[in-house]
């Protein structure tokens, strides 16, 4: 199991939800998001290709892309599930990505501030990352790099994997904000508003909290259900 925050990682009197809990909720959000990403063309649709009579080579290529994309997307969602807490020095995400954490805090981000725990700020940030990433790779593809140039172009293998990673990371961020709703600090939908707080005083966080352990176990129970729902939505189309 991944290392948690310190026993009661505290900031401004607000207890933070544990890293393991955010990772578990992030898994569930990612699973449910997969059929929607397939619907919007982020992942290849194998069923649709078969129905259209695609060649065996195209189906195999799409299958390889799908498997690789699912793995990359999972990693992206797990990164995104911890990303908002990079602004907290000493948190697990900060320990895993110390340079990124320093950069974010160096830009003035404070824990549970208007950048990290606001849906609009995170949406704008990840949209910029998405646009810079795919266009940056496409610019590289204009150089004479042989087959690599094809992979870096807009519809290339590497560019597509980057799209999947960024979109999945954003899904993970949304899961983080959703999971933080019942905590004392709350979240913002818009950065200019006050945090939305559920005001459930009984909901304490931390590994010694019965409520957080229950929250995390419930998320684990929901994981196979989310997987079944994901497959159902995919097959249903």
């Amino acid at each position: 199991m991944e290392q948690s925050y310190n026993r009661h990682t505290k900031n401004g009197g607000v207890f933070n939800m544990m890293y393991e809990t955010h990772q578990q909720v992030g898994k569930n959000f990612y699973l449910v998001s997969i059929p929607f990403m397939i619907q919007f063309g982020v992942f290849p649709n194998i069923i649709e290709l078969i129905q259209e009579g695609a060649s065996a080579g195209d189906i195999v290529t799409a299958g390889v892309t799908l498997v690789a994309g699912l793995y990359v997307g999972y990693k992206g969602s797990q990164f995104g599930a911890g990303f908002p807490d990079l602004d907290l020095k000493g948190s697990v995400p900060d320990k895993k990505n110390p340079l990124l954490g320093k950069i974010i805090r160096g830009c003035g981000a404070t824990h549970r501030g208007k950048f990290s725990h606001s849906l609009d700020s995170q949406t704008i940030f990840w949209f910029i990352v998405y646009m810079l990433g795919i266009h940056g790779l496409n610019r590289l593809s204009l150089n004479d790099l042989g087959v690599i140039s094809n992979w870096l172009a807009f519809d290339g293998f590497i560019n597509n994997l980057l799209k999947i990673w960024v979109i999945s990371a954003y899904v993970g961020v949304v899961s983080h904000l959703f999971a933080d709703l019942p905590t004392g600090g709350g979240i913002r939908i818009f950065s200019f508003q006050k945090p939305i707080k559920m005001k459930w005083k009984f909901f304490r966080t931390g590994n010694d909290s019965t409520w957080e352990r229950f929250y995390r176990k419930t998320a684990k129970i929901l994981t196979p259900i989310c997987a079944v729902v994901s497959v159902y939505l995919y097959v249903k189309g």
Side-chain angles (χ1 to χ4, degrees):
M1 180 177 289
E2 297 287 357
Q3 182 182 359
S4 304
Y5 298 143
N6 292 331
R7 184 167 176 268
H8 279 291
T9 304
K10 200 172 182 181
N11 181 273
V14 175
F15 289 105
N16 297 294
M17 185 163 283
M18 307 304 292
Y19 177 76
E20 294 92 337
T21 307
H22 279 303
Q23 295 290 285
Q24 190 62 53
V25 176
K27 290 178 186 177
N28 295 349
F29 269 67
Y30 173 63
L31 285 170
V32 174
S33 73
I34 291 172
F36 296 99
M37 287 195 276
I38 291 174
Q39 189 70 28
F40 285 99
V42 179
F43 288 108
N45 192 327
I46 306 297
I47 293 178
E48 189 175 273
L49 286 174
I50 294 174
Q51 291 174 341
E52 292 175 351
S55 67
D58 288 341
I59 293 174
V60 170
T61 300
V64 171
T65 302
L66 178 62
V67 171
L70 288 172
Y71 176 77
V72 169
Y74 172 74
K75 289 296 184 179
S77 69
Q78 293 294 275
F79 175 83
F83 181 81
D85 284 340
L86 275 169
D87 58 13
L88 178 61
K89 186 176 182 180
S91 66
V92 175
D94 177 55
K95 291 178 180 178
K96 287 176 171 289
N97 306 275
L99 179 58
L100 186 55
K102 287 180 180 179
I103 292 173
I104 289 175
R105 293 191 299 275
C107 292
T110 56
H111 188 48
R112 289 185 178 269
K114 294 182 178 180
F115 170 72
S116 65
H117 284 70
S118 297
L119 182 60
D120 61 341
S121 295
Q122 286 298 305
T123 300
I124 293 170
F125 173 79
W126 285 99
F127 177 75
I128 292 172
V129 171
Y130 178 86
M131 296 304 292
L132 289 177
I134 64 172
H135 283 282
L137 290 184
N138 186 62
R139 290 283 296 179
L140 285 176
S141 74
L142 300 179
N143 298 322
D144 187 13
L145 302 175
V147 68
I148 300 297
S149 291
N150 295 330
W151 290 354
L152 296 176
F154 281 127
D155 292 326
F157 183 72
I158 295 176
N159 204 313
N160 283 333
L161 290 183
L162 177 63
K163 294 174 187 176
I164 291 170
W165 188 91
V166 174
I167 293 172
S168 300
Y170 176 70
V171 170
V173 168
V174 173
S175 79
H176 184 111
L177 299 183
F178 174 85
D180 271 351
L181 265 175
T183 64
I187 65 162
R188 295 176 173 88
I189 301 299
F190 300 104
S191 55
F192 54 79
Q193 71 175 170
K194 291 182 179 180
I196 299 171
K197 300 179 181 180
M198 305 299 284
K199 298 182 179 179
W200 295 343
K201 294 183 179 180
F202 62 85
F203 194 103
R204 284 183 61 253
T205 54
N207 267 344
D208 63 344
S209 165
T210 300
W211 285 105
E212 174 141 6
R213 290 201 300 270
F214 173 77
Y215 193 99
R216 186 162 59 242
K217 287 180 180 178
T218 300
K220 287 182 179 179
I221 292 172
L222 288 174
T223 297
I225 298 175
C226 289
V228 171
V229 169
S230 180
V231 173
Y232 171 75
L233 291 175
Y234 170 54
V235 173
K236 185 179 179 181

